[in-house]
Amino acid sequence: MTQEEAGRLPQVLARVGTSHGITDLACKLRFYDDWAPEYDQDVAALKYRAPRLAVDCLSRAFRGSPHDALILDVACGTGLVAVELQARGFLQVQGVDGSPEMLKQARTRGLYHHLSLCTLGQEPLPDPEGTFDAVIIVGALSEGQVPCSAIPELLRVTKPGGLVCLTTRTNPSNLLYKEALEATLDSLEQAGVWECLVTQPVDHWELATSEQETGLGTCANDGFISGIIYLYRKQETV
């Protein structure tokens, strides 16, 4: 961590802690609009590892040439996932997000072929069924953001045989959401629409905003909260 990042860390932890506590979607989106100009430097100070880890997981399981793959980055924010995708050869990336200011920051990267304003959970994704070789959503599956009821929409726009990569936090304040999310994921697998390829717990997800956020008995995590990555493959059509 640079001296500048260390100096701003208390402010960053307070801001992220506030974000975690907002459960109203409209309020959350306004918060992200205000946060957008400083988001990248803040999450760097937070040692936020989810975009890299999730894209690594997706890349390892992907069959075929990444250069030819069409990828949808859901809740793309400022484009941190697109940076990781491009580094691994995924060059045809589209993004959606519910925050206009986050999309403005993402657009400046020049990594997306197309960006759309879409509040998943309140409206469908703006794409036909079976469009994408892979769909990835990092950092938005929590209370007050993307509801579990929107998961089938991710599946809808994925091609048969395509991949869906999802992440969520596993710190105490997000455990109820994680439980509901896993029930949704499991129900879709039991229905035969996709199969789970990877469930990858991660101890060092990002720095905790408080001691309470690390959970009991997790001192070994050195002040980090934990998270988890899920990877599914949509069933081929018969």
Side-chain angles (χ1 to χ4, degrees):
M1 182 181 297
T2 67
Q3 186 173 359
E4 181 181 354
E5 288 173 348
R8 62 182 288 111
L9 186 57
Q11 174 189 343
V12 172
L13 293 178
R15 177 179 274 170
V16 175
T18 298
S19 171
H20 288 177
I22 299 172
T23 57
D24 178 78
L25 179 57
C27 292
K28 182 86 84 171
L29 290 174
R30 287 195 296 271
F31 184 92
Y32 274 98
D33 275 338
D34 292 339
W35 192 7
E38 297 182 318
Y39 181 83
D40 285 1
Q41 60 184 349
D42 281 2
V43 297
L46 199 65
K47 300 183 180 179
Y48 181 51
R49 304 172 66 220
R52 177 174 60 82
L53 295 174
V55 174
D56 278 345
C57 181
L58 174 67
S59 181
R60 286 193 298 268
F62 190 81
R63 302 186 297 208
S65 169
H67 296 84
D68 300 326
L70 186 59
I71 311 295
L72 180 64
D73 181 8
V74 178
C76 64
T78 62
L80 294 177
V81 168
V83 172
E84 301 293 342
L85 286 167
Q86 185 184 57
R88 289 156 187 79
F90 295 96
L91 306 180
Q92 300 185 57
V93 184
Q94 297 185 22
V96 298
D97 199 273
S99 163
E101 293 303 316
M102 285 284 187
L103 286 174
K104 186 182 297 184
Q105 296 295 320
R107 192 167 287 111
T108 64
R109 293 187 187 273
L111 300 180
Y112 291 97
H113 284 212
H114 185 72
L115 286 164
S116 301
L117 182 65
C118 174
T119 306
L120 187 59
Q122 293 191 348
E123 57 187 325
L125 291 167
D127 302 286
E129 182 175 346
T131 298
F132 298 98
D133 296 287
V135 174
I136 185 167
I137 179 167
V138 176
L141 291 172
S142 63
E143 193 67 39
Q145 290 185 271
V146 175
C148 298
S149 59
I151 299 301
E153 185 64 8
L154 305 178
L155 193 60
R156 180 186 68 81
V157 300
T158 305
K159 291 178 180 178
L163 299 175
V164 182
C165 185
L166 317 92
T167 76
T168 195
R169 293 179 283 112
T170 56
N171 57 307
S173 67
N174 200 51
L175 288 181
L176 285 178
Y177 182 94
K178 174 181 177 284
E179 182 179 336
L181 174 63
E182 291 186 341
T184 300
L185 301 179
D186 290 346
S187 68
L188 289 168
E189 186 167 28
Q190 290 169 14
V193 296
W194 64 8
E195 63 172 326
C196 183
L197 302 180
V198 177
T199 300
Q200 179 185 335
V202 177
D203 288 337
H204 292 73
W205 195 253
E206 64 184 39
L207 287 173
T209 59
S210 67
E211 290 184 8
Q212 291 76 15
E213 280 289 271
T214 61
L216 296 175
T218 57
C219 296
N221 285 1
D222 301 322
F224 282 78
I225 65 170
S226 55
I228 190 165
I229 301 166
Y230 310 95
L231 185 69
Y232 286 82
R233 189 180 305 280
K234 185 174 179 177
Q235 292 292 355
E236 300 277 2
T237 52
V238 179

